[in-house]
Amino acid sequence: LFLCSSLLSKIYWRVEASTGQCFVAANFVNALSTDKAEKLIAEAAGYGSQLVLFPEVFVGGYPHGSTFGLTIGSRSAKGKEDFWKYHAAAIDVPGPEVSRLAALAGKYNVFLVIGVVERAGYTLYNTVLSFDSLGKYLGKHRKLMPTALERVFWGCGDGSTIPVYDTPLGKIGAVICWENRMPLIRTAMYAKGVEIYCAPTADALPSWQSSMTHIALEGGCFVLTANQFCRRKDFPPPPEYTFGGHEEEPSPETAVCPGGSAIISPSGTVLAGPNYEGEALLTADLDLGEIVRAKFDFDVVGHYARPEVLSLTVKTEPKHAVSFTSTVG
Amino acid sequence: LFLCSSLLSKIYWRVEASTGQCFVAANFVNALSTDKAEKLIAEAAGYGSQLVLFPEVFVGGYPHGSTFGLTIGSRSAKGKEDFWKYHAAAIDVPGPEVSRLAALAGKYNVFLVIGVVERAGYTLYNTVLSFDSLGKYLGKHRKLMPTALERVFWGCGDGSTIPVYDTPLGKIGAVICWENRMPLIRTAMYAKGVEIYCAPTADALPSWQSSMTHIALEGGCFVLTANQFCRRKDFPPPPEYTFGGHEEEPSPETAVCPGGSAIISPSGTVLAGPNYEGEALLTADLDLGEIVRAKFDFDVVGHYARPEVLSLTVKTEPKHAVSFTSTVG
Amino acid sequence: LFLCSSLLSKIYWRVEASTGQCFVAANFVNALSTDKAEKLIAEAAGYGSQLVLFPEVFVGGYPHGSTFGLTIGSRSAKGKEDFWKYHAAAIDVPGPEVSRLAALAGKYNVFLVIGVVERAGYTLYNTVLSFDSLGKYLGKHRKLMPTALERVFWGCGDGSTIPVYDTPLGKIGAVICWENRMPLIRTAMYAKGVEIYCAPTADALPSWQSSMTHIALEGGCFVLTANQFCRRKDFPPPPEYTFGGHEEEPSPETAVCPGGSAIISPSGTVLAGPNYEGEALLTADLDLGEIVRAKFDFDVVGHYARPEVLSLTVKTEPKHAVSFTSTVG
Amino acid sequence: LFLCSSLLSKIYWRVEASTGQCFVAANFVNALSTDKAEKLIAEAAGYGSQLVLFPEVFVGGYPHGSTFGLTIGSRSAKGKEDFWKYHAAAIDVPGPEVSRLAALAGKYNVFLVIGVVERAGYTLYNTVLSFDSLGKYLGKHRKLMPTALERVFWGCGDGSTIPVYDTPLGKIGAVICWENRMPLIRTAMYAKGVEIYCAPTADALPSWQSSMTHIALEGGCFVLTANQFCRRKDFPPPPEYTFGGHEEEPSPETAVCPGGSAIISPSGTVLAGPNYEGEALLTADLDLGEIVRAKFDFDVVGHYARPEVLSLTVKTEPKHAVSFTSTVG
Amino acid sequence: LFLCSSLLSKIYWRVEASTGQCFVAANFVNALSTDKAEKLIAEAAGYGSQLVLFPEVFVGGYPHGSTFGLTIGSRSAKGKEDFWKYHAAAIDVPGPEVSRLAALAGKYNVFLVIGVVERAGYTLYNTVLSFDSLGKYLGKHRKLMPTALERVFWGCGDGSTIPVYDTPLGKIGAVICWENRMPLIRTAMYAKGVEIYCAPTADALPSWQSSMTHIALEGGCFVLTANQFCRRKDFPPPPEYTFGGHEEEPSPETAVCPGGSAIISPSGTVLAGPNYEGEALLTADLDLGEIVRAKFDFDVVGHYARPEVLSLTVKTEPKHAVSFTSTVG
Amino acid sequence: LFLCSSLLSKIYWRVEASTGQCFVAANFVNALSTDKAEKLIAEAAGYGSQLVLFPEVFVGGYPHGSTFGLTIGSRSAKGKEDFWKYHAAAIDVPGPEVSRLAALAGKYNVFLVIGVVERAGYTLYNTVLSFDSLGKYLGKHRKLMPTALERVFWGCGDGSTIPVYDTPLGKIGAVICWENRMPLIRTAMYAKGVEIYCAPTADALPSWQSSMTHIALEGGCFVLTANQFCRRKDFPPPPEYTFGGHEEEPSPETAVCPGGSAIISPSGTVLAGPNYEGEALLTADLDLGEIVRAKFDFDVVGHYARPEVLSLTVKTEPKHAVSFTSTVG
């Protein structure tokens, strides 16, 4: 749909719905993930997309089915070795992989939002990087709170990396996986004016779609969610990797994370997806005028807020265990 | 499912899903609404329900299709007359209607959560009242922010009436209609430990179901939503009452607010409803152990919160335009 | 050694070195754990002990070998059921189990420091409770940061529960398991003047003894460490429970957490233990004058500190996601 | 073990475990100490070592058994003369001895970490100098707080000389003797990312080994500790020099500081030493991948820190009694 | 001399010039020192004194001739035992000895300035306490930097305890022993307006008198210096206690600290003393008008200062290695 | 004493203790003063002196007994004429007299420190010039603050002329007359490392000796003080010149400034003087090793400073009433 109002922007993009990325050794070679990223970005750009969103930790990978050798109260040498590999596969920010991703964004003239495993010393973070269409790295968001077993291999982000970027396409931000269940970080994003709310995830349950719709309504914004698509065969066999939610060992072709990527408008209309079939690119045209129409009814941090009763404080300073200061005083 | 553990409660109840209550003159007589309430409570209790939830402003009514004679910049004498009637139909809290509702709760041995139009001087509030099964009035919640045209006939609540009651059935609270879209009031409810989250509403859109599912997941609580069911014929004919969202005047039988009441578990499973067919009572057994299982994964104000980054302050004092004080100074 | 100076206290105590407590259903009944506690307290008191220390989460239990059904990215219904039981077995603070423990301390006239699993709503904490010999509950410490898989079933403590109690026996405090590896919480304890440093734990590695000796030297305090003693047979069989650190399934009699309780003086002398043989009570007389002699050489927060270069800030306020305040402002 | 990953470094080195350096006049001639240093460096390099660590104040010497003529409230002329000699034997930084040490590091192609007595005007400091394998002087660390009698002949360092050097071998830093008991300076080192933690010392007690093991675990780093080896005969006879810790005058061959140098891995494994036998060179291969494996479990300034509760501030500016400034103001 | 001007005050006092206090066990009993203090205060008050000054560490004692068993690099058990006794003999501030001293000041109606050994946890301080003539404890000064061997048994004060008290007798402050050599703390005292500058000390050299005269001129204030008087026989025999400054063991009657107390006017006139003969009380009338006359010529922090060129900053906050704060922020 | 160590310097010099220079017209001719200077320098050099110090304003003269015709609120023409002469007798720096003094230092191979009256436009300064033994002018120090009546004919120096020169003889600096009472400028000199502290003065009181001794102790440096020696007859008769401190007009032979030059070691030992008898040259050998021995006990800006509590800032930029700058802004 072509819209000519000066208030509206025509935005095409492709959401990378699934990746097949997995936790096998080959995939740890970051060059491969970024190679795959290039192939998908090129394809999306070929359709005229202006923004391309990838799932959570597309670079670095999500170790579905592993336990890093942990049971409660014990560890295995094998698990430590797995972590050593996983740490090695993570990327420094900035670093060579970031530079390559920036170059891809510039080469294909797209805004790029992509999940990575970030290495900061010896602690890893679940991070989303953003790039503009000129190939400039915009910044990063670190997931505030890992979920379940993730807490043993990812650290917690803080208030210094909850960015929303004001771009020619609109205000873009990202919230990762179950962070999207945290009402306070969503409210922080709304307060920063997010218009294109990216939700890279690893959750493929049907209820995820309810949350995405709710967020579109609550925030009066477009919601883009990109999930992974991967099959049992993409991971090492049991007992090294197991899938606890299944009573029996799944067949090799079973999708252990079956996607579900989707694009939803501020009024809660599903524009594309959810796609649970396989690797796919989803695309939609966004009419930013929808945001105005939605916020006429409900502006969560504007006319519909009650700041004299309910006020959220976001501490934006970085949290460091140790601060070095040369200030005399 | 019968559960005998001391940690689990067997709770049966019937949710009043629709009412047919409407804005005709007769309906302004509160005694009629409470008469209808008694009939429904009795029926629910007959099924063994321990908690009965009614929709938003069941007592007092929701004036679907009216404008109270307002266009921008003008008013009509007829609209003022309508408001005079609507004001008269509202109830004082406490007051005789409150006493009668309390008596009903005690008589039928149920917890009762019911929407009313509250009159406080010359300002009206969209209020929910709660009663225990011994017939004791527990308190009230006033909707914090009315929606759209509601702002011309309802005032705003404040932080002094956001209660959660710790009862033998679990911790019970209510959030009204689009308040449910406000992430901060929900977070306040979660912080108070709500386990049985009541959402009386007037929103019958399909997207409402997404929000209800999301809230169950976000809050790790049971969500009970009760909406009105009313038809075009329940309201005065045009042009006095009109239904702007329809291109043509709806037929008399058209449901202008078609219900959609539902009961959802903390894991996002829909236990009953949504029912869009007509007036109905919905019922479900609740296993509070589901809350533990859900919060193991996600405890929004517990292990999954990041209070050092994101902290909400709720001002709980009443907001008065004028305060009288004998303190010199 | 009997010392009569008014500056020195004769202190006998028994460290509860192992418990056999485990994660089987029967053990979830808190009464059983507290029954066992009473037996041990009585025995220790019979030897004239004035302070009795129990291991980490003695009440509630440490689920060695479980995973709560988690692998990365998936959950099992069985795991949720396990968590439901574990949550049920935890105790409220205050609550009936706390009252019983207080009564035991008073009955046997001992100071009591004991690990419990604390339930606060739907989040659990790894907590240590302290009681004086008159039967008064003194307060609690919540472990600041759970280790590895613990992060999926325990929340994080904050700066409001890092107590040191000034008692007739000396200043008593507790730091739990790998918290003892955190140099900043230890420094906070030293700044509060801890003299009898209790380290309930689940770590039975030989390197744990090095840390305990180091802390005694660093803090110039007595260190008492109590670990669990439990065998493979105390837990459910594989595959439900597995012990990742062992290449093969251990035999039923294998100690999966083989104790290592010990008592160390401020000069680094091991006064009792480490005992890896089985359940046992360890005892030692403490001469508090040793602290003076040790701090003559090294007073970590006194003459040997350099506060103008290195200063630690401890935020002692509770961290709440939501604060309710009635302050007008 | 040979490891070829780009993330791992093969590092051989020899720790200079003992020196026989002492406080006799001849040894005050710095050329002799640096001559001895060259001999040891050459030997270590001959074994393929890439990093060579020397004990505390190898150049300048540690005056074991002296009192500089002090008793409380009095001084002797002889003690002042001793101090005059000791001051003369100290070295300026930079200065000719520093240049010679730099040249040695370059000649033998090793990283060099070596303790010296530094002269800054009329105050002396216990300092460690570091050099890279190209013969470049990297910088110095001054001991923050001298121990016991050291306080009468050494000044206190400040926050401007707590360096960690990022080298091709890993991040290298040094903490001197009982500074290693100071939890806050250790935490500062961890925050700077130290991977090869050098602990030159004069403490030969068995408890020193516990501290070294603890630091390796706490910091997730390799710990190299080099102590002096010197005998009674290396010092002047009594009553000029006395050894208070011995009831009788020790025999000439008695080791008054019997070494104890050691190398410990991040998991607490002792890779070499402790050697208490005599002068010796210790050596070990370091696999830096061990750091990743250790920090997976415990990253003291990363995922296992709680900066919102416990935060350390390090003031890095030099502390001067007098500042000269030409800033107009 | 009797002076009647309203600007001048007649002040009599007695300086306690010597004490015989020593380091034998009996003297460690603080009651004895305060008994002796009472006898001397009573005698001074009998002469009409309004202010009584005692020497450095009159309560607690100065361990002349000891080494606490230290030689460089070694310690003795005997020395630790000595420190244990010395720590026991020190006093808490506030505490029972402080209360008794306050009562004495009130009973005899004198201002009292007296040196004590203060115990703060396990670190000791060289402290001066001040009391007014109504028996009120005014505050304390901790010596900023101990001298020589003192650094092994006393900690350093900070900028929070450099008080000057504005009393009816004039502005009173105290600077201890070689602190009087520190030009910056003296300048801080001058800036606080000190008029009666008390210098309790343990220095009996003739050059001490030069410094006292200089300070009177520099500061334009009265200087009162009180030193100890003690003989060799007051201390244990060699080798336990030795006096390094003497070639031979002194005879029992030799004064190892021979006093030298004196009172000096702002113009440098010696009003009383120095007395090196034995225990004695010195007394003088002070004409505060002398201060005005002296400052006409030289006002060190007034007309004779050059603050635009030379400015001193005094950091007055307490220095704590650890700060506990409940401030949300 | 002959000392051959490279750390020790043999330094002979003669201090010009008195000069007979006076305020008669003839003495205003600078050539005469420098003639007299040459005679004295030659004599001192003949004894082997390496450094020669002259009193305050040796060149230009100190107008003892004059008032420049001022009473408060009035001036006399005669006084203005006197100032015209005094201004004419002052010297420009640089200028011909400076060149001649430099030549003298070179000719006699001595370091020369000499007081002059400096003319800078129409303001005069009390200045000390320094020269090395090669005949090079090193720089000047202007007295920071004139005393009493001096303030009517001398201006104030600033922080740009507080030099200490690092020479083969040691670090040399000068502080003039009552500047020596200013603790902060002394501290600045100590911070610059002054070892040979020159104190040219016009103060002949006995208390001056106390200050000189104190400074030697405080600064751990040699103090050389040179004062004038002049008699009543050297100045015009009354009433033009009067000497207010004497009740009667002194006899012609009375010394109105009777010298008192002296040389003092860092330990406070008086090496030469004070001489109050008449014009004289004083001489002493200096052993710089004394400085080390003294600073072992007390290093005022080193180990005995507390910069984190007390810190002095010295503004070293010149102070100009008007600054011309081409910086736009």
Side-chain angles (χ1 to χ4, degrees), chain C residues 217-233:
Chain C
L217 293 167
E218 180 182 79
C221 51
F222 288 92
V223 172
L224 289 65
T225 183
N227 193 16
Q228 308 157 346
F229 187 93
C230 45
R231 303 183 191 275
R232 180 62 187 90
K233 67 181 179 186

Side-chain angles (χ1 to χ4, degrees), chain D residues 1-13 47-51 168-170 196 284-289:
Chain D
L1 178 62
F2 183 81
L3 296 161
C4 60
S5 159
S6 66
L7 275 177
L8 304 178
S9 300
K10 181 185 184 188
I11 304 179
Y12 295 99
W13 73 75
Y47 289 108
S49 290
Q50 293 171 275
L51 185 153
L169 301 189
I196 301 173
D285 292 349
L286 304 193
D287 170 2
L288 291 197

Side-chain angles (χ1 to χ4, degrees), chain E residues 142-156:
Chain E
R142 285 177 174 170
K143 192 178 183 182
L144 276 183
M145 175 54 78
T147 303
L149 262 188
E150 296 171 5
R151 292 179 189 171
V152 306
F153 54 91
W154 286 332
C156 295

Side-chain angles (χ1 to χ4, degrees), chain D residues 68 70 75 79-81 83-84 87-88 119-123 125 152-155 319-329, chain F residues 5 7-8 187-188 191-192 195 289 291-297 299 301-303 305 307-308 310-317:
Chain D
F68 283 112
L70 294 169
R75 293 165 189 79
K80 292 200 180 201
E81 200 66 16
F83 182 74
W84 176 86
H87 181 272
R119 180 175 57 224
Y122 292 100
T123 290
Y125 294 95
V152 306
F153 55 90
W154 287 331
K319 302 281 186 192
H320 296 305
V322 183
S323 300
F324 296 90
T325 171
S326 62
T327 308
V328 178
Chain F
S5 161
L7 274 177
L8 304 179
T187 307
K192 290 188 168 185
E195 294 169 325
I291 296 175
V292 185
R293 293 180 197 104
K295 298 224 176 182
F296 172 46
D297 293 339
D299 186 353
V301 294
H303 65 77
E308 66 279 13
L310 299 158
S311 60
L312 172 64
T313 302
V314 183
K315 300 267 182 60
T316 62
E317 73 279 5

